Amino acid sequence: MGMNTYAATTARLDKFKGKIFRNALPRECLAKAGRQIEMPKNNSKTYVGRRYLHWGSTSTDRNTMNRFFQDGNGADRATAIANQHLTQEGVTGTPDSIVPVDTTVVIAQYDCLFGWTDVVQDTHEDDIKAEAVSQVATRVTFVNEMIIYGALKACTNVYYGGTGTSVATVNGKLTLGLIRKIVMNLQANHAESVTTMLKASAYYGTDAVEEGYLVYCHTDLAPDIRDLPGFEPTVKYASGTPMPREIGKCEMFRFILSPDLPSIQNGGAAIGSTNLYTTSGTSLDVYPIIVVGKDAWSQLALRGKSALDVTYFDAGEKTKTDPHGQRGSAGTIWWKAVLIENNGWMAVANVGRKNLPE
């Protein structure tokens, strides 16, 4: 009898968990971009990601760890590298050691919980239990997006709109020149493209889409993005399927927009004559733009049966703490962490946005 009760409870929770996943997945944005890591239970709260430096690079900063040796004094670097590898008959070269770079993150625990009474469950015209499932899914997804967004904004490969040199001095919006500067740096750092080439087709008005990097930003930036020289909306893609929330591409950038990637209100320079948007009327709002290459960052995945530890009780279920069954609840607790593994394979651009006319 005890075994039957336990099995029924497990199935009920599994069903609730499945509903959360089904409701959560369509809402994800940044959560779909990072490399997914499953961290087993009882394996510490600390995760260490490891990669190895290219030969000739150093761990000094985000650029040197992704490029072969640097020399700004007019040296012929190509010839120098080739000469370093010349051999002589009967002479074995000195072996080099591969150098690891470790990045550490500590996972943290998060939770959400909704409750209702038996009176609401028995008399309300809406399906409160079904709404609770949707609300839990929405909330978990939103919290995870904020965790990821906050972590990725800490990338050390940072750019600023206009003549800004910090968030507080941002005084310009997204431009083609800024896009090209970011792409140039990512390519010099050997950042691989996330998306593949989409070939042209015979259909009228369609174009090929070159391989490129994914760009995540707030929906407020859509007008500025669409005004970029050479911007192509997704309806002109010749083949392939645009990603969810993707609005189009400009050169090697493919833009994915979400309303859950908020600006830093009044965080930039004085509005002056910039004609950029401000919440307060004094300093312009700054919008972080997240640009990612392949394998730039990782996350502990919100996937699988063990990812969520769910709670679900119908009002009416009598327990030791609720002897009359007057309270129902739905929620979950989960672990999450985000790890930037290579700052040179991604970038953050902080920009303002233009003030649209009424």
Side-chain angles (χ1 to χ4, degrees):
M1 189 71 176
M3 290 182 63
N4 289 336
T5 303
Y6 178 79
T9 302
T10 302
R12 174 171 56 85
L13 293 179
D14 278 350
K15 182 178 180 181
F16 177 62
K17 187 185 298 186
K19 288 182 178 179
I20 292 177
F21 282 132
R22 285 194 297 273
N23 280 273
L25 290 176
R27 296 180 172 91
E28 289 183 341
C29 183
L30 280 174
K32 294 179 179 178
R35 189 162 58 92
Q36 307 284 344
I37 296 174
E38 292 186 9
M39 189 169 180
K41 288 185 176 181
N42 307 115
N43 198 39
S44 166
K45 293 196 297 183
T46 302
Y47 173 80
V48 180
R50 168 165 288 189
R51 59 181 291 264
Y52 289 88
L53 292 176
H54 291 291
W55 173 85
S57 60
T58 69
S59 59
T60 305
D61 59 37
R62 58 181 169 78
N63 290 324
T64 64
M65 68 171 50
N66 293 297
R67 308 183 191 187
F68 302 111
F69 89 95
Q70 309 294 303
D71 188 336
N73 298 314
D76 185 342
R77 291 184 292 167
T79 299
I81 291 173
N83 288 341
Q84 282 183 271
H85 293 78
L86 282 172
T87 63
Q88 299 180 35
E89 183 178 353
V91 178
T92 301
T94 303
D96 296 308
S97 298
I98 57 175
V99 180
V101 177
D102 290 343
T103 310
T104 302
V105 67
V106 178
I107 59 175
Q109 196 172 48
Y110 302 86
D111 84 300
C112 71
L113 185 68
F114 291 99
W116 62 90
T117 67
D118 59 335
V119 174
V120 171
Q121 181 170 306
D122 293 341
T123 65
H124 203 280
E125 64 271 20
D126 296 329
D127 188 344
I128 296 299
K129 294 184 289 184
E131 183 60 28
V133 174
S134 177
Q135 289 284 337
V136 171
T138 301
R139 192 165 168 187
V140 169
T141 305
F142 178 69
V143 172
N144 278 330
E145 289 289 297
M146 295 303 98
I147 296 168
I148 297 169
Y149 190 44
L152 298 188
K153 286 191 296 180
C155 172
T156 59
N157 194 12
V158 191
Y159 297 81
Y160 303 97
T163 59
T165 56
S166 66
V167 170
T169 58
V170 168
N171 59 0
K173 59 187 179 67
L174 181 66
T175 64
L176 183 59
L178 183 58
I179 286 177
R180 287 175 172 173
K181 181 187 284 188
I182 296 172
V183 168
M184 184 183 299
N185 177 264
L186 293 178
Q187 291 182 318
N189 281 327
H190 299 93
E192 295 185 26
S193 301
V194 179
T195 60
T196 57
M197 176 77 176
L198 301 179
K199 296 181 180 180
S201 74
Y203 293 108
Y204 177 79
T206 60
D207 300 290
V209 177
E210 63 183 312
E211 62 182 43
Y213 305 106
L214 299 182
V215 182
Y216 295 86
C217 57
H218 195 276
T219 47
D220 284 354
L221 292 177
D224 288 346
I225 294 169
R226 293 183 185 279
D227 286 345
L228 288 169
F231 173 81
E232 292 188 15
T234 54
V235 294
K236 294 192 70 178
Y237 287 5
S239 61
T241 302
M243 286 164 283
R245 306 191 187 193
E246 181 179 0
I247 66 167
K249 65 97 177 178
C250 182
E251 296 192 354
M252 292 192 73
F253 277 6
R254 291 177 65 175
F255 292 93
I256 301 168
L257 275 54
S258 168
D260 294 335
L261 305 179
S263 64
I264 306 168
Q265 294 182 331
N266 311 310
I271 197 67
S273 59
T274 61
N275 195 34
L276 298 179
Y277 180 79
T278 171
T279 298
S280 68
T282 55
S283 299
L284 61 89
D285 291 6
V286 176
Y287 289 81
I289 298 175
I290 310 295
V291 185
V292 295
K294 185 178 180 182
D295 294 335
W297 66 282
S298 302
Q299 60 177 316
L300 297 182
L302 182 63
R303 297 287 189 276
K305 288 186 66 175
S306 61
L308 295 179
D309 184 6
V310 303
T311 297
Y312 184 82
F313 292 103
D314 274 332
E317 290 187 35
K318 298 179 180 180
T319 66
K320 185 176 181 180
T321 56
D322 185 13
H324 295 304
Q326 294 174 290
R327 295 179 296 277
S329 59
T332 187
I333 192 167
W334 73 100
W335 294 88
K336 190 72 177 179
V338 177
L339 178 67
I340 296 178
E341 298 198 52
N342 194 320
N343 283 280
W345 290 355
M346 63 174 293
V348 177
N350 294 284
V351 301
R353 71 167 174 89
K354 63 184 175 184
N355 194 18
L356 297 178
E358 294 295 333

